[in-house]
Amino acid sequence: MKFIHTADLHLGANPDAGKKYSECRGQEIWDTFSRLITECNEKEADLLLIAGDLFHRQPLLRELKELDYLFSKLVKTKVVFIAGNHDYLKWDSYYRTFHWSENVFPLLSDKMQCADFPELSACVYGFSYHQREIAENRYDKAKPWGKESCEILLAHGGDEKHIPMNKKELLSLGYDYIALGHIHKPGIVEKNKANYAGAPEPIDRNDTGAHGYILGEVKDGRLTTEFIPFASREYVHMDVHVNADVTNARKWFLKSFKKEECRIFIR
């Protein structure tokens, strides 16, 4: 069984709005997600796991239709996702009434739910945010229900305002894998056991370093994971030193940027 774990796509975001270099970034975030759908098909993934913040804010109805169209292009992959703190379920959220393609299994309750896939011997658990902030640790007693041989948790949070988590308690719950979201940089909590996928595209100037997704595979009863770089661009912070040898043209270029705005996009 193969799965792709992603999170924090922030569809609808417009990073560094107003900057000349950022004019295309909003569309690039959608384009990267579309490439990820193609990646699921090419790698023949059984599950696409999205650990919150699919959208940067409350999704519009037309955006959900576009998202579901992309999901419908999946050949064999089933989708399980939760809503995070950015796209949390308000009382009038379109999430509440939208009808998804038959391969999409949203876990949108604020109580623990389970998407069971007996044909994969896998079960995916999770719950969604119904408010912007949750200050209590709601995962400390969220044990799996023992429905399948491979049990996966989708969890979004990790700071004091967004479901604080205790690493030891989290790992002791008994899940075979914990797919984490909310932190934009990829990170390993426990190798092959619990990972932050990070945002597939950098969302702001502080999202430096590689961005991508987690590829997981269960084979002969053993689960392994691998980080796959996938972003179309990367933020690189640079210090630029000016001295008496700098030409007038270079001086004009350097003066046109504040120090904290001087960065490069790498495609």
Side-chain angles (χ1 to χ4, degrees):
M1 190 269 287
K2 288 183 182 180
F3 64 81
I4 284 179
H5 160 207
T6 187
D8 300 285
L9 291 111
H10 287 274
L11 298 172
N14 188 14
D16 293 335
K19 308 295 183 184
K20 187 66 176 176
Y21 61 78
S22 72
E23 289 179 356
C24 62
R25 289 295 290 145
Q27 184 58 49
E28 283 183 345
I29 291 173
W30 276 96
D31 292 344
T32 292
F33 184 65
S34 181
R35 289 193 297 114
L36 189 60
I37 295 297
T38 302
E39 191 84 346
C40 287
N41 288 333
E42 290 180 352
K43 293 193 179 301
E44 299 184 337
D46 297 289
L47 294 172
L48 173 59
L49 308 173
I50 306 174
D53 282 357
L54 250 171
F55 287 91
H56 190 60
R57 35 122 181 94
Q58 296 294 307
L60 304 174
L61 182 57
R62 62 173 176 79
E63 291 175 321
L64 291 184
K65 290 179 179 179
E66 176 63 20
L67 177 66
D68 191 56
Y69 168 71
L70 292 173
F71 286 153
S72 72
K73 295 169 68 175
L74 291 165
V75 176
K76 64 174 291 190
T77 309
K78 296 176 174 63
V79 181
V80 187
F81 75 88
I82 58 175
N85 58 294
H86 275 265
D87 56 352
Y88 70 99
L89 272 77
K90 295 177 66 175
W91 68 270
D92 59 348
S93 171
Y94 287 113
Y95 271 146
R96 295 182 180 273
T97 56
F98 191 79
H99 295 287
W100 299 93
S101 296
E102 61 182 12
N103 65 325
V104 182
F105 300 85
L107 305 177
L108 297 178
S109 172
D110 61 348
K111 304 291 191 297
M112 186 67 77
Q113 290 180 290
C114 166
D116 190 5
F117 305 101
E119 70 279 12
L120 300 174
S121 298
C123 195
V124 183
Y125 299 81
F127 60 82
S128 289
Y129 280 61
H130 283 219
Q131 58 199 64
R132 193 180 302 275
E133 296 181 357
I134 302 176
E136 60 179 309
N137 183 352
R138 294 192 55 195
Y139 294 114
D140 58 348
K141 295 181 175 62
K143 293 187 176 182
W145 303 339
K147 297 177 72 68
E148 301 292 348
S149 60
C150 180
E151 299 194 296
I152 297 171
L153 173 66
L154 299 185
H156 188 91
D159 62 42
E160 61 181 11
K161 293 184 178 180
H162 305 99
I163 312 187
M165 300 177 191
N166 179 287
K167 175 183 174 181
K168 185 176 179 180
E169 291 177 352
L170 196 65
L171 294 172
S172 70
L173 292 173
Y175 290 96
D176 296 279
Y177 182 68
I178 302 173
L180 292 160
H182 184 59
I183 306 301
H184 287 186
K185 295 183 180 181
I188 298 173
V189 176
E190 183 76 16
K191 186 173 175 60
N192 297 327
K193 189 77 173 179
N195 294 323
Y196 277 99
E201 283 286 336
I203 304 303
D204 62 41
R205 70 185 71 176
N206 295 314
D207 289 349
T208 55
H211 286 73
Y213 67 86
I214 302 292
L215 177 64
E217 183 174 11
V218 179
K219 189 174 183 180
D220 298 327
R222 183 169 176 264
L223 191 153
T224 58
T225 59
E226 178 186 4
F227 174 74
I228 308 294
F230 199 68
S232 61
R233 296 187 186 267
E234 179 181 336
Y235 281 102
V236 177
H237 291 189
M238 300 182 68
D239 291 324
V240 179
H241 301 281
V242 181
N243 56 40
D245 296 326
V246 175
T247 65
N248 286 335
R250 290 175 64 193
K251 285 179 180 177
W252 174 88
F253 173 79
L254 294 171
K255 287 179 180 178
S256 66
F257 292 93
K258 294 179 181 178
K259 182 178 180 181
E260 67 270 18
E261 292 179 344
C262 188
R263 55 189 153 275
I264 293 175
F265 271 133
I266 297 176
R267 182 181 289 275

